Amino acid sequence: MPNHSIDQLLSIMAQLRDPDSGCPWDVKQDFDSIAPYTIEEAFEVAEAIAQRDYPELKEELGDLLLQVVFHSQIARERGLFDFNDVVQVLCDKMVRRHPHVFGESDAADEQAVKVNWEAIKQQERAAKGREHDSALDGVPAGLPALQRAAKVQKKAAKVGFDWPETAPVRRQVDHELAELDEALASGDRADIEDEFGDVLFTLVNLSRHLKLDPEQALRKATAKFERRFRQMEQDQPEPLNTLDDDALEAAWQQAKKAGEL
């Protein structure tokens, strides 16, 4: 089996980007056009992990690495930085943020590591002239909405802006649902959207207090629905769109029971 190296991968990427002999599609791309693919590849890595499909994980990690190489090649062409610079910055950051491993500091447990990590990040922001940044900084706008809401809430909680326990968060869910009902009664679409967003945001807050990942919980719920729906399609001799409401409900209950066996 050939022993491929990162240097070979970088060479392949450079050849694909060659304006004279490269691939027309690759040559045409820039940071903005590639960004959606980078996000997509990260999700495909997460899906392979969730499925415990390790051969697929190996392939998807390669695809994600390709995105890093692609961005780095574009940056090298523009004289911004190259792949080696990316690796150097990463290595420096990992050593700097783990003084309990690479330095003389101590960290007795995971919580101590987190405290040190945040303190070092604050020092890094100050060194960049960002010491007055918001406590909510550092959460990418491009994250999935549920994940971003959880991260924003977590950052707010670190400075004490949080419910002290789960019970009041659960009550707040009911409060937000009541406000959604009022918006529905008014028929104001903008108000409905606003209140519906508040419901989702509060549910994310509840998941955080329950120590659940809202993204993962929703993925599991969606997968469960998909399994049951496919079971319905398989069990019914007639197309689902020909069934009335009662027949659909009966088929759904049958599919649920089948999934529990």
Side-chain angles (χ1 to χ4, degrees):
M1 179 179 294
N3 184 19
H4 298 299
S5 69
I6 189 65
D7 289 336
Q8 183 179 9
L9 177 57
L10 294 173
S11 177
I12 291 172
M13 191 71 253
Q15 187 173 347
L16 289 171
R17 289 278 298 176
D18 187 284
D20 298 321
S21 60
C23 169
W25 186 89
D26 289 279
V27 171
K28 184 180 179 181
Q29 304 312 309
D30 57 21
F31 290 130
D32 294 319
S33 65
I34 290 298
Y37 295 99
T38 307
I39 296 170
E40 181 179 341
E41 295 299 349
F43 277 114
E44 290 183 355
V45 167
E47 183 176 356
I49 293 172
Q51 297 295 328
R52 301 296 185 262
D53 188 340
Y54 300 115
E56 185 70 13
L57 175 59
K58 177 175 64 176
E59 181 173 345
E60 297 301 343
L61 285 171
D63 291 343
L64 186 56
L65 175 59
L66 175 62
Q67 296 299 308
V68 178
V69 170
F70 208 145
H71 284 289
S72 298
Q73 174 63 27
I74 296 172
R76 186 177 73 83
E77 294 165 3
R78 299 185 182 186
L80 301 173
F81 56 83
D82 62 16
F83 181 80
N84 289 331
D85 295 325
V86 173
V87 174
Q88 185 64 56
V89 168
L90 176 59
C91 289
D92 290 345
K93 180 187 294 184
M94 296 306 290
V95 171
R96 185 172 62 250
R97 292 188 179 181
H98 293 82
H100 53 290
V101 176
F102 302 105
E104 298 180 356
S105 298
D106 293 323
D109 53 29
E110 182 182 354
Q111 183 58 34
V113 171
K114 291 181 178 179
V115 170
N116 288 344
W117 182 278
E118 289 300 323
I120 293 169
K121 286 176 66 177
Q122 288 284 359
Q123 294 170 7
E124 292 172 352
R125 283 194 286 268
K128 295 177 180 178
R130 301 176 182 172
E131 60 268 32
H132 299 300
D133 287 355
S134 168
L136 301 182
D137 284 349
V139 183
L143 283 177
L146 290 178
Q147 187 177 351
R148 188 168 192 274
K151 285 185 173 293
V152 166
Q153 292 170 4
K154 185 176 180 180
K155 282 181 173 288
K158 287 181 179 179
V159 296
F161 192 80
D162 194 16
W163 297 98
E165 55 188 17
T166 303
V169 186
R170 176 61 187 86
R171 290 194 294 270
Q172 187 66 21
V173 173
D174 290 335
H175 175 75
E176 297 296 347
L177 284 170
E179 291 193 342
L180 176 59
D181 287 338
E182 292 178 7
L184 289 169
S186 74
D188 186 320
R189 296 299 300 173
D191 196 22
I192 291 170
E193 181 182 38
D194 185 60
E195 296 300 342
F196 183 74
D198 288 347
V199 170
L200 290 177
F201 191 81
T202 307
L203 285 171
V204 170
N205 204 5
L206 179 60
S207 75
R208 187 173 58 84
H209 278 264
L210 295 173
K211 302 188 185 308
L212 297 173
D213 180 344
E215 196 79 25
Q216 182 68 11
L218 183 56
R219 284 179 181 273
K220 288 183 177 180
T222 303
K224 179 171 63 176
F225 174 85
E226 185 176 8
R227 287 194 306 272
R228 290 173 176 176
F229 190 89
R230 290 179 183 276
Q231 185 68 46
M232 272 205 314
E233 291 178 315
Q234 180 179 330
D235 292 344
Q236 299 307 307
E238 302 294 333
L240 294 183
N241 61 4
T242 65
L243 303 180
D244 60 23
D245 290 346
D246 290 339
L248 283 172
E249 177 62 24
W252 177 255
Q253 294 301 326
Q254 180 180 340
K256 285 178 63 176
K257 290 182 180 179
E260 295 170 356
L261 297 179

